[in-house]
Amino acid sequence: MQIGLAYGDVRGQRDLGVIAEQVRATSGTAWISQGPNLDALTTLALAGRGAGELGTAVVPFPQRHPLVLASHALTVQAATGNRLILGIGAGISRMVGGMYGLPTDRPARRLREYLEVLRPLLRGESVNHHGDTLTAVGSVAVEGAAAPPVLVAALGPAMLRVAGELADGTITWMTGPRTLTNHVVPSITKAADTPPRIVAGFAVCVTADEGAVRARFAKDFALAGQVPEYRAMLDREGVDGPADVLLVGDEDTIAKRLDQLRDTGITDLMLAPIGTAAEQARTTEFLATQHGHDRRAGPAGAR
């Protein structure tokens, strides 16, 4: 199981220069969430070339035509030495409809058509698609850019099936270990021809004041617990809200939680350190010791 770090809006970060510097310094996968502020793909392009992978988690696709997204993604590939993992998603329906006035019905159908167009475009192929939800005619060519792997933010059964059939894997957020084990991992694996990449995202804080951190997180992410897409996963997990799936506690507590998540069958963790500056620094320092490490079996037993 690989451990990567998340940056950007998910952590309330706004300084483009600071984020780019942190991304360049990340040895594992550096993930950028696409929020209402900084553009995730542009941020990764600014980070440039380095050692680790660069991922978006995720770019909502309804407001980005596949010809536009393919151009943007391949430009990032050229700028970064082909290190991009392109994570996309249907977006939160309340935002897609309320902010952009775009349709949110038939999300699985829209995702299927979008991937049927996007994947060939990323490979440099021409498309001539006139479908139920999408029209796309043309091609994109960026010299030196290879097609990036595509992961999909998929939670429900229909979306996981499409992700398994047409993408390289999935990315989840605030989805607990029970739901990963019993729903996400088996659903997408069954639909996929080859083993999918399964990235599970969590907020994390190494701290001596678990109660205070959990209370702040419950307040800051209260709205997320009401969003239907996340609410369904919290209900599957049997918890009340986002704070119940937060990874929080001292180093030993977090190490045990990481061991539990390794057993779910996921391939990657995307962890967003939260809390005070001191807590985030402590968290980041601890996570750097956990790459490829399984406390029960030693480094050779890591999956």
Side-chain angles (χ1 to χ4, degrees):
M1 182 180 72
Q2 300 184 55
I3 297 177
L5 294 180
Y7 302 97
D9 273 350
V10 71
R11 293 170 58 177
Q13 296 176 308
R14 301 288 187 271
D15 190 313
L16 180 60
V18 169
I19 297 172
E21 183 178 345
Q22 290 174 331
V23 167
R24 283 192 290 268
T26 302
S27 58
T29 308
W31 299 94
I32 297 284
S33 59
Q34 178 64 56
N37 301 299
L38 294 176
D39 181 77
L41 284 164
T42 304
T43 302
L44 293 181
L46 179 66
R49 296 172 183 263
E53 294 180 311
L54 306 171
T56 56
V58 295
V59 174
F61 65 78
Q63 55 266 43
R64 301 195 188 205
H65 191 277
L67 280 161
V68 174
L69 183 57
S71 171
H72 203 171
L74 291 174
T75 301
V76 173
Q77 284 287 68
T80 62
N82 291 312
R83 294 159 57 212
L84 177 66
I85 303 165
L86 181 59
I88 67 171
I92 301 301
S93 59
R94 289 181 183 177
M95 295 181 65
V96 173
M99 293 178 65
Y100 297 99
L102 295 171
T104 59
D105 63 315
R106 298 182 292 167
R109 177 59 188 165
R110 293 181 185 281
L111 172 62
R112 181 175 293 277
E113 277 201 56
Y114 197 95
L115 288 171
E116 288 172 347
V117 171
L118 179 66
R119 299 307 298 268
L121 288 172
L122 291 173
R123 295 191 296 265
E125 301 170 12
S126 296
V127 299
N128 187 355
H129 181 89
H130 301 269
D132 293 338
T133 69
L134 178 66
T135 295
V137 179
S139 63
V140 177
V142 178
E143 188 170 345
V150 177
L151 306 183
V152 174
L155 297 174
M159 297 291 275
L160 285 165
R161 184 165 55 252
V162 176
E165 293 173 0
L166 298 178
D168 299 298
T170 188
I171 303 174
T172 68
W173 175 245
M174 295 192 306
T175 301
R178 180 189 306 172
T179 304
L180 290 169
T181 301
N182 298 330
H183 170 57
V184 173
V185 173
S187 296
I188 191 170
T189 301
K190 180 180 179 180
D193 290 332
T194 59
R197 188 165 184 174
I198 303 172
V199 182
F202 292 91
V204 59
C205 183
V206 178
T207 180
D209 196 352
E210 178 179 340
V213 172
R214 200 178 291 277
R216 287 198 306 268
F217 190 79
K219 179 181 178 181
D220 293 344
F221 284 81
L223 184 59
Q226 302 172 26
V227 171
E229 293 89 342
Y230 294 138
R231 185 67 257 170
M233 295 302 102
L234 295 171
D235 289 342
R236 276 184 181 270
E237 193 68 16
V239 298
D240 292 331
D244 296 312
V245 293
L246 172 66
L247 306 182
V248 59
D250 61 16
E251 284 83 354
D252 188 57
T253 298
I254 299 300
K256 291 177 181 176
R257 293 295 303 277
L258 296 183
D259 284 344
Q260 180 188 24
L261 289 166
R262 285 185 178 96
D263 288 336
T264 64
I266 62 174
T267 62
D268 296 71
L269 273 175
M270 175 185 67
L271 299 177
I274 63 165
T276 65
E279 287 170 332
Q280 290 195 35
R282 179 180 174 183
T283 302
T284 301
E285 181 179 356
F286 170 72
L287 293 176
T289 70
Q290 297 300 298
H291 289 283
H293 178 63
D294 188 327
R295 299 186 314 147
R296 298 156 302 184
R303 290 182 291 277

